[in-house]
Amino acid sequence: MNPDKVVVTCALTGVLANRDQCPWVPYTPAEIAEEARRAHEAGAAVVHIHARTDEGGPTYEPGVYAAIRREVEECCPVILNFSTGGLGPMEGRVAHIAQVRPALGALNMGSMNYAKYSAKRKEFVFDFVFENPFRDIAYLLGVMKEAGVKPELECFDVGHTNSVWPLLDKGLLKRPLQFSFIMGVLGGIRATAENLAAQAREAPEGSTWEVIGISHEQWRMVSAALALGGNVRVGLEDNFYLDAQGTQMARSNGELVEKAVRMARDIGREPATVEEARRMLTLEAPW
């Protein structure tokens, strides 16, 4: 990776965040596009998107993703990254990838306990098993390969990162790989600089990677990734706040990107343009 450039991704909506938690979470294609514009103008080269219904529920409808793509492309030239994460049949979770064909498709690289615990209430807010067996991962990768969409490998732990080797051997993945290291989810790897460095070392040589710090861990992990030469992701999907204490809520995705860009520039790194990000992520190569 170019140590002087950093690809900033903005996760605009998520699948769980709602307006009761943060009034500025976008739902409709027009709202998502407006947030994409704000993020791009602040310095983001990539936007990660989960489609939502107009009422805010999750949807995998290809028509909604197509509307989002049209709206975003009218606003700005940012790179599109669509999610495949969630529940339901594999065919439904990936149809929008095959039909709308974003530049990047994010997919989860392993199964795990996925939970949130309230120390104050002494109980789990939610608690379930997030299933992503190799057969499902292989199916998603096959669809992405056929559609010419580069996979972004979402890894919640070191074992997920090491799951790439049989997939490379089968020809479902090809180098250079792009990773997202998700840090701070209960059931996954803890959000520490040491753990992020370990994840980066486990990635095959020549890979690119970004960090996703969840909730109050976001800014600590952005700082660690910037120091290690990696890329970063921020956005209302992952964190609502501009401070680590959770007292200053961002009023847009753009505000979160502005802070990440400021942190990068403070240590001598510059946000990559869309064109630079395409080269750094090897998106011009056929997939």
Side-chain angles (χ1 to χ4, degrees), residues 131-276:
E131 293 188 17
N132 294 285
F134 277 111
R135 64 176 179 272
D136 289 347
I137 296 170
Y139 175 78
L140 294 173
L141 289 173
V143 174
M144 289 184 185
K145 185 175 182 180
E146 179 69 23
V149 174
K150 181 168 183 173
E152 181 175 272
L153 311 176
E154 295 195 323
C155 300
F156 291 79
D157 216 331
V158 178
H160 295 176
T161 307
N162 280 314
S163 293
V164 301
W165 299 107
L167 302 169
L168 283 164
D169 187 61
K170 287 173 65 67
L172 290 168
L173 286 172
K174 74 170 189 176
R175 304 190 196 199
L177 304 178
Q178 160 64 7
F179 289 89
S180 284
F181 298 135
I182 301 97
M183 316 286 289
V185 173
L186 184 59
I189 197 167
R190 286 194 307 124
T192 68
E194 293 89 344
N195 284 343
L196 179 58
Q199 283 281 62
R201 286 194 299 270
E202 290 299 314
E205 186 176 354
S207 300
T208 53
W209 59 267
E210 69 180 12
V211 74
I212 304 173
I214 301 300
S215 190
H216 301 321
E217 307 287 359
Q218 182 166 89
W219 299 117
R220 182 185 308 167
M221 301 318 300
V222 166
S223 177
L226 290 171
L228 289 169
N231 298 317
V232 300
R233 184 178 111 174
V234 296
L236 294 175
E237 172 176 349
D238 306 323
N239 166 51
F240 301 140
Y241 296 98
L242 291 166
D243 63 322
Q245 293 72 37
T247 63
Q248 186 181 356
M249 183 175 284
R251 297 175 65 88
S252 73
N253 281 285
E255 288 192 355
L256 295 166
V257 174
E258 285 173 1
K259 175 165 182 173
V261 167
R262 184 168 64 250
M263 291 173 67
R265 286 174 170 156
D266 281 346
I267 64 166
R269 299 187 67 189
E270 192 69 18
T273 66
V274 169
E275 293 75 18
E276 289 168 337

Side-chain angles (χ1 to χ4, degrees), residues 35 44 47 61 70 73 96 108 134 234-235 253 271:
E35 284 298 290
V47 290
E61 284 296 322
R70 287 194 302 271
E73 288 178 346
H96 60 288
N108 296 287
F134 277 111
V234 296
N253 281 285

